[in-house]
Amino acid sequence: MRRFVFVVISLLAAALFVLSCSTEEPESPAQTDDSLIIVNDGASRFKIVYGSAKPNAEGFAAFVSGTTGVSLPVVLDNAEESEYEILIGSCNRPEYKQVAADLSGTFGYSIKVVGSKLVVAGSDVTWVAFGLRALVKSLRENGLDGQNLNASKDLAIKQLTDDPQMIARLIRQKYDFTLSAVQVLNQVPIGDIYVAQGAASDGKNMYIVMRNSGDTKAVVCKYDLKSYSLLGISSEFNGGHCNDMTFDTAGGRAIVAHGQSQGRILTPVDGETLAVQPNINIPVGSGAITYCPSRSQYAISQGGSTFHVTDASFKLLFTKSRTDKTGYTAQGMGSDDSYVYFPMSGSSDNVLVVYDWEGNFVTTLTLPVSIESESMCYAAGRYYVIFYGGSKTGAIVSEIIPTHYYSYTK
């Protein structure tokens, strides 16, 4: 009996000794009442979760590892949900949906802490990249303590706009980006009127001009930009080659540039009723035309060689020669407040040649679409290019989407 008691006591003592000598540290907390503790003393309990656009998630992971030395797991949102997560862009977490509600009906990003999760929501992957830049700036200034990284639970960073002019924004800030095209509507041939030419917008509606092969008949079709549904078609008129079109928001009219041998003739069409109005004669030849409401100016070009700017009454302000030598076929043009864009078609793809409003060449952007581009416009926060799909297809209008990802730089 004494021996049994002695053995039990010895085992208990040994167990106590092992417990007292254990070097295992308790798991460090991942949050306090005020902050999420993303990295502390070389350790983290957080994962980075994404639903699409993995490069943005990887860019933020590179920021964390570059500043703290700790590599966070980057996982798709179909992985098992964990308590501590950093949600980058659209994903299937309720916390993301809560923050993304801030973006309803507009463009931009919103960044918040929801419970034990840091959420970066954006209206698209490019806006998520812009949001990550803002988040990294905030964390550098307020969340880094040596190699420890915290995010305040009061963190709230937001940028919203109805007029992003994103391609111009990316060009100005010298960010790398690519363009893609997503078809939004197709105007089929109307009898023998099937050749797609110019496109323009008043900000709510889109106008498409199509002609016949003999350059003797044309119509303007009007579409709603929210539903992309057809609202009406003008009566037939002779617009020559109908080389391009723009929208004069001050006068409420779509303006068709005849182009070719009739380059100094424009035909206005009432934006509301689609009534064809008397022709306008202008002082320069136009195969391409665009109007900028914020400047009350037209930019006009012909044959891919000229760059004219006029005031709202077509009084010539200056003329320059275009300096781009792309080897692509000149088409129409479009613009935003900062730049003028010339869609030009090639044998296997298209390009957008970019100038500023002073007539200086800026850059050339590749548009990976093989069919022939005709014109472009900017409307309601989005860029559009019209393509000619052939005699059986007619006009194809695609939204042109710029894509840019966040990348970490020290």
Side-chain angles (χ1 to χ4, degrees):
M1 182 68 177
R2 289 181 180 177
R3 178 177 175 80
F4 175 76
V5 172
F6 175 80
V7 170
V8 171
I9 292 172
S10 297
L11 290 172
L12 289 173
L16 291 172
F17 178 80
V18 169
L19 289 173
S20 66
C21 294
S22 173
T23 58
E24 183 178 342
E25 295 288 338
E27 195 170 24
S28 58
Q31 62 179 319
T32 66
D33 290 341
D34 300 321
S35 300
L36 296 183
I37 305 172
I38 298 173
V39 175
N40 183 63
D41 291 338
S44 177
R45 295 169 64 185
F46 279 84
K47 294 179 180 179
I48 296 175
V49 179
Y50 71 96
S52 62
K54 186 178 182 181
N56 277 333
E58 292 175 328
F60 188 73
F63 159 72
V64 175
S65 63
T67 52
T68 69
V70 174
S71 296
L72 302 186
V74 177
V75 301
L76 195 58
D77 63 351
N78 61 5
E80 183 179 356
E81 185 172 356
S82 56
E83 183 176 2
Y84 299 103
E85 295 180 329
I86 300 170
L87 310 180
I88 305 294
S90 180
C91 60
N92 63 359
R93 298 287 194 266
E95 294 86 356
Y96 171 80
K97 294 177 182 178
Q98 179 179 332
V99 177
D102 291 345
L103 310 175
S104 178
T106 189
F107 302 90
Y109 59 79
S110 181
I111 304 167
K112 292 179 180 177
V113 171
V114 180
S116 59
K117 300 186 181 183
L118 173 58
V119 184
V120 182
S123 51
D124 59 28
V125 298
T126 300
W127 276 110
V128 171
F130 275 75
L132 286 171
R133 280 194 168 80
L135 173 61
V136 165
K137 181 177 184 294
S138 175
L139 292 176
R140 283 184 185 277
E141 294 173 352
N142 305 303
L144 270 175
D145 180 12
Q147 289 187 304
N148 295 331
L149 181 63
N150 302 320
S152 169
K153 288 191 174 179
D154 293 331
L155 178 71
I157 307 171
K158 185 188 300 185
Q159 183 181 356
L160 303 177
T161 179
D162 292 326
D163 188 22
Q165 305 195 28
M166 182 55 79
I167 293 178
R169 189 183 296 239
L170 291 165
I171 291 172
R172 280 197 308 272
Q173 299 192 32
K174 303 185 187 306
Y175 290 150
D176 292 333
F177 64 98
T178 59
L179 299 179
S180 59
V182 176
Q183 182 177 330
V184 295
L185 65 88
N186 172 210
Q187 174 56 58
V188 299
I190 303 169
D192 62 346
I193 297 175
Y194 59 81
V195 182
Q197 291 294 155
S201 177
D202 59 7
K204 295 182 179 179
N205 307 292
M206 179 171 288
Y207 303 82
I208 298 170
V209 62
M210 298 174 66
R211 61 170 175 81
N212 66 349
S213 60
D215 291 1
T216 59
K217 292 191 297 184
V219 294
V220 170
C221 305
K222 179 179 178 180
Y223 280 84
D224 176 78
L225 267 180
K226 288 186 177 180
S227 63
Y228 298 115
S229 58
L230 181 64
L231 299 178
I233 302 174
S234 75
S235 60
E236 293 181 5
F237 64 97
N238 188 335
H241 195 66
C242 297
N243 216 71
D244 200 14
M245 180 167 60
T246 192
F247 198 91
D248 166 22
T249 52
R253 54 188 182 170
I255 296 180
V256 178
H258 286 213
Q260 295 191 340
S261 62
Q262 300 178 19
R264 297 193 179 211
I265 302 175
L266 307 177
T267 296
V269 176
D270 185 273
E272 184 65 29
T273 66
L274 297 180
V276 180
Q277 301 175 349
N279 288 345
I280 300 170
N281 294 313
I282 59 174
V284 294
S286 63
I289 186 169
T290 185
Y291 178 74
C292 180
S294 67
R295 294 172 176 268
S296 299
Q297 292 178 343
Y298 291 91
I300 297 170
S301 182
Q302 189 170 34
S305 60
T306 59
F307 189 105
H308 310 288
V309 172
T310 77
D311 66 12
S313 60
F314 295 104
K315 179 182 177 181
L316 187 63
L317 300 179
F318 70 82
T319 295
K320 285 189 176 182
S321 296
R322 283 174 55 178
T323 59
D324 58 286
K325 304 295 181 184
T326 64
Y328 285 63
T329 301
Q331 302 291 350
M333 63 199 294
S335 61
D336 52 30
D337 292 345
S338 301
Y339 300 109
V340 174
Y341 305 90
F342 295 93
M344 301 182 71
S345 55
S347 58
S348 60
D349 63 4
N350 291 265
V351 295
L352 297 182
V353 177
V354 185
Y355 279 73
D356 63 25
W357 273 91
E358 285 67 50
N360 303 305
F361 171 74
V362 177
T363 190
T364 298
L365 307 173
T366 299
L367 184 56
V369 179
S370 59
I371 60 176
E372 182 184 12
S373 63
E374 298 294 344
S375 186
M376 76 166 290
C377 61
Y378 172 78
R382 305 179 190 276
Y383 296 86
Y384 298 92
V385 168
I386 182 171
F387 300 91
Y388 175 43
S391 60
K392 295 183 178 180
T393 302
I396 295 172
V397 177
S398 293
E399 181 183 352
I400 304 306
I401 301 173
T403 299
H404 163 71
Y405 298 111
Y406 170 76
S407 59
Y408 167 66
T409 53
K410 292 184 179 180

